[in-house]
Amino acid sequence: ALTRYVSASSLLAAIALPVGMWYLEAPSLYQWVGRAAVVAVIAMHGPNLKRLWQGTEPKFTFKKVEPNE
C-alpha cells in the first residue's frame, strides 16, 4: 500500500480520476465533472487533511480487535 491513511488514499484516487480522464482523452464534460469531484473530495476531507498535516490522523490497520468483556 502506498499509504495506510484512508483519507490520503481517497485524495490520491480522486486526483487520479481527472488525470486518467485527460490521459484517455475523455470528453470535455467528463473531465470537468472529474475536476469537480476532486474539489468536492478535498472539501469533504478538510478535517482529515488538517489531521494529516498535524500527524494525528489514525492509520488503517488489519489488526484483529478483541471484544471487550
mmCIF file with all atom_site columns, all heavy atoms in Angstrom, residues 36-47:
data_model
loop_
_atom_site.group_PDB
_atom_site.id
_atom_site.type_symbol
_atom_site.label_atom_id
_atom_site.label_alt_id
_atom_site.label_comp_id
_atom_site.label_asym_id
_atom_site.label_entity_id
_atom_site.label_seq_id
_atom_site.pdbx_PDB_ins_code
_atom_site.Cartn_x
_atom_site.Cartn_y
_atom_site.Cartn_z
_atom_site.occupancy
_atom_site.B_iso_or_equiv
_atom_site.pdbx_formal_charge
_atom_site.auth_seq_id
_atom_site.auth_comp_id
_atom_site.auth_asym_id
_atom_site.auth_atom_id
_atom_site.pdbx_PDB_model_num
ATOM 1  N N   . ALA A 1 36 ? -14.542 18.602 -10.798 1.00 0.00 ? 36 ALA A N   1
ATOM 2  C CA  . ALA A 1 36 ? -15.484 18.990 -9.747  1.00 0.00 ? 36 ALA A CA  1
ATOM 3  C C   . ALA A 1 36 ? -15.494 17.955 -8.624  1.00 0.00 ? 36 ALA A C   1
ATOM 4  O O   . ALA A 1 36 ? -15.599 18.309 -7.439  1.00 0.00 ? 36 ALA A O   1
ATOM 5  C CB  . ALA A 1 36 ? -16.882 19.158 -10.334 1.00 0.00 ? 36 ALA A CB  1
ATOM 6  N N   . ALA A 1 37 ? -15.364 16.691 -8.985  1.00 0.00 ? 37 ALA A N   1
ATOM 7  C CA  . ALA A 1 37 ? -15.321 15.633 -7.968  1.00 0.00 ? 37 ALA A CA  1
ATOM 8  C C   . ALA A 1 37 ? -14.094 15.798 -7.078  1.00 0.00 ? 37 ALA A C   1
ATOM 9  O O   . ALA A 1 37 ? -14.168 15.597 -5.855  1.00 0.00 ? 37 ALA A O   1
ATOM 10 C CB  . ALA A 1 37 ? -15.320 14.262 -8.628  1.00 0.00 ? 37 ALA A CB  1
ATOM 11 N N   . VAL A 1 38 ? -12.959 16.184 -7.664  1.00 0.00 ? 38 VAL A N   1
ATOM 12 C CA  . VAL A 1 38 ? -11.747 16.411 -6.867  1.00 0.00 ? 38 VAL A CA  1
ATOM 13 C C   . VAL A 1 38 ? -11.978 17.536 -5.871  1.00 0.00 ? 38 VAL A C   1
ATOM 14 O O   . VAL A 1 38 ? -11.640 17.411 -4.687  1.00 0.00 ? 38 VAL A O   1
ATOM 15 C CB  . VAL A 1 38 ? -10.533 16.736 -7.770  1.00 0.00 ? 38 VAL A CB  1
ATOM 16 C CG1 . VAL A 1 38 ? -9.348  17.186 -6.941  1.00 0.00 ? 38 VAL A CG1 1
ATOM 17 C CG2 . VAL A 1 38 ? -10.161 15.537 -8.601  1.00 0.00 ? 38 VAL A CG2 1
ATOM 18 N N   . VAL A 1 39 ? -12.584 18.612 -6.318  1.00 0.00 ? 39 VAL A N   1
ATOM 19 C CA  . VAL A 1 39 ? -12.859 19.738 -5.430  1.00 0.00 ? 39 VAL A CA  1
ATOM 20 C C   . VAL A 1 39 ? -13.787 19.295 -4.300  1.00 0.00 ? 39 VAL A C   1
ATOM 21 O O   . VAL A 1 39 ? -13.564 19.632 -3.129  1.00 0.00 ? 39 VAL A O   1
ATOM 22 C CB  . VAL A 1 39 ? -13.464 20.921 -6.221  1.00 0.00 ? 39 VAL A CB  1
ATOM 23 C CG1 . VAL A 1 39 ? -13.956 22.019 -5.291  1.00 0.00 ? 39 VAL A CG1 1
ATOM 24 C CG2 . VAL A 1 39 ? -12.432 21.463 -7.203  1.00 0.00 ? 39 VAL A CG2 1
ATOM 25 N N   . ALA A 1 40 ? -14.806 18.512 -4.629  1.00 0.00 ? 40 ALA A N   1
ATOM 26 C CA  . ALA A 1 40 ? -15.738 18.033 -3.601  1.00 0.00 ? 40 ALA A CA  1
ATOM 27 C C   . ALA A 1 40 ? -15.045 17.122 -2.603  1.00 0.00 ? 40 ALA A C   1
ATOM 28 O O   . ALA A 1 40 ? -15.264 17.241 -1.389  1.00 0.00 ? 40 ALA A O   1
ATOM 29 C CB  . ALA A 1 40 ? -16.908 17.306 -4.262  1.00 0.00 ? 40 ALA A CB  1
ATOM 30 N N   . VAL A 1 41 ? -14.200 16.225 -3.073  1.00 0.00 ? 41 VAL A N   1
ATOM 31 C CA  . VAL A 1 41 ? -13.497 15.307 -2.167  1.00 0.00 ? 41 VAL A CA  1
ATOM 32 C C   . VAL A 1 41 ? -12.560 16.084 -1.249  1.00 0.00 ? 41 VAL A C   1
ATOM 33 O O   . VAL A 1 41 ? -12.507 15.837 -0.043  1.00 0.00 ? 41 VAL A O   1
ATOM 34 C CB  . VAL A 1 41 ? -12.722 14.224 -2.961  1.00 0.00 ? 41 VAL A CB  1
ATOM 35 C CG1 . VAL A 1 41 ? -11.775 13.459 -2.064  1.00 0.00 ? 41 VAL A CG1 1
ATOM 36 C CG2 . VAL A 1 41 ? -13.699 13.272 -3.627  1.00 0.00 ? 41 VAL A CG2 1
ATOM 37 N N   . ILE A 1 42 ? -11.841 17.052 -1.794  1.00 0.00 ? 42 ILE A N   1
ATOM 38 C CA  . ILE A 1 42 ? -10.928 17.857 -0.966  1.00 0.00 ? 42 ILE A CA  1
ATOM 39 C C   . ILE A 1 42 ? -11.727 18.641 0.077   1.00 0.00 ? 42 ILE A C   1
ATOM 40 O O   . ILE A 1 42 ? -11.336 18.711 1.243   1.00 0.00 ? 42 ILE A O   1
ATOM 41 C CB  . ILE A 1 42 ? -10.075 18.787 -1.849  1.00 0.00 ? 42 ILE A CB  1
ATOM 42 C CG1 . ILE A 1 42 ? -9.071  17.947 -2.643  1.00 0.00 ? 42 ILE A CG1 1
ATOM 43 C CG2 . ILE A 1 42 ? -9.360  19.829 -1.005  1.00 0.00 ? 42 ILE A CG2 1
ATOM 44 C CD1 . ILE A 1 42 ? -8.310  18.706 -3.694  1.00 0.00 ? 42 ILE A CD1 1
ATOM 45 N N   . ALA A 1 43 ? -12.857 19.204 -0.337  1.00 0.00 ? 43 ALA A N   1
ATOM 46 C CA  . ALA A 1 43 ? -13.694 19.955 0.605   1.00 0.00 ? 43 ALA A CA  1
ATOM 47 C C   . ALA A 1 43 ? -14.226 19.053 1.712   1.00 0.00 ? 43 ALA A C   1
ATOM 48 O O   . ALA A 1 43 ? -14.248 19.441 2.892   1.00 0.00 ? 43 ALA A O   1
ATOM 49 C CB  . ALA A 1 43 ? -14.847 20.620 -0.138  1.00 0.00 ? 43 ALA A CB  1
ATOM 50 N N   . MET A 1 44 ? -14.633 17.846 1.348   1.00 0.00 ? 44 MET A N   1
ATOM 51 C CA  . MET A 1 44 ? -15.180 16.922 2.352   1.00 0.00 ? 44 MET A CA  1
ATOM 52 C C   . MET A 1 44 ? -14.107 16.377 3.287   1.00 0.00 ? 44 MET A C   1
ATOM 53 O O   . MET A 1 44 ? -14.399 15.978 4.407   1.00 0.00 ? 44 MET A O   1
ATOM 54 C CB  . MET A 1 44 ? -15.907 15.763 1.664   1.00 0.00 ? 44 MET A CB  1
ATOM 55 C CG  . MET A 1 44 ? -17.111 16.180 0.853   1.00 0.00 ? 44 MET A CG  1
ATOM 56 S SD  . MET A 1 44 ? -18.400 16.969 1.838   1.00 0.00 ? 44 MET A SD  1
ATOM 57 C CE  . MET A 1 44 ? -18.931 15.625 2.846   1.00 0.00 ? 44 MET A CE  1
ATOM 58 N N   . HIS A 1 45 ? -12.867 16.337 2.826   1.00 0.00 ? 45 HIS A N   1
ATOM 59 C CA  . HIS A 1 45 ? -11.775 15.792 3.630   1.00 0.00 ? 45 HIS A CA  1
ATOM 60 C C   . HIS A 1 45 ? -10.981 16.872 4.360   1.00 0.00 ? 45 HIS A C   1
ATOM 61 O O   . HIS A 1 45 ? -9.882  16.606 4.838   1.00 0.00 ? 45 HIS A O   1
ATOM 62 C CB  . HIS A 1 45 ? -10.825 14.977 2.737   1.00 0.00 ? 45 HIS A CB  1
ATOM 63 C CG  . HIS A 1 45 ? -11.316 13.606 2.436   1.00 0.00 ? 45 HIS A CG  1
ATOM 64 N ND1 . HIS A 1 45 ? -11.125 12.545 3.280   1.00 0.00 ? 45 HIS A ND1 1
ATOM 65 C CD2 . HIS A 1 45 ? -12.022 13.124 1.388   1.00 0.00 ? 45 HIS A CD2 1
ATOM 66 C CE1 . HIS A 1 45 ? -11.687 11.469 2.746   1.00 0.00 ? 45 HIS A CE1 1
ATOM 67 N NE2 . HIS A 1 45 ? -12.239 11.796 1.605   1.00 0.00 ? 45 HIS A NE2 1
ATOM 68 N N   . GLY A 1 46 ? -11.526 18.071 4.466   1.00 0.00 ? 46 GLY A N   1
ATOM 69 C CA  . GLY A 1 46 ? -10.829 19.169 5.135   1.00 0.00 ? 46 GLY A CA  1
ATOM 70 C C   . GLY A 1 46 ? -10.317 18.821 6.521   1.00 0.00 ? 46 GLY A C   1
ATOM 71 O O   . GLY A 1 46 ? -9.124  18.991 6.817   1.00 0.00 ? 46 GLY A O   1
ATOM 72 N N   . PRO A 1 47 ? -11.184 18.308 7.415   1.00 0.00 ? 47 PRO A N   1
ATOM 73 C CA  . PRO A 1 47 ? -10.702 17.944 8.758   1.00 0.00 ? 47 PRO A CA  1
ATOM 74 C C   . PRO A 1 47 ? -9.639  16.836 8.725   1.00 0.00 ? 47 PRO A C   1
ATOM 75 O O   . PRO A 1 47 ? -8.688  16.857 9.507   1.00 0.00 ? 47 PRO A O   1
ATOM 76 C CB  . PRO A 1 47 ? -11.968 17.457 9.476   1.00 0.00 ? 47 PRO A CB  1
ATOM 77 C CG  . PRO A 1 47 ? -13.091 18.077 8.730   1.00 0.00 ? 47 PRO A CG  1
ATOM 78 C CD  . PRO A 1 47 ? -12.635 18.191 7.311   1.00 0.00 ? 47 PRO A CD  1
#
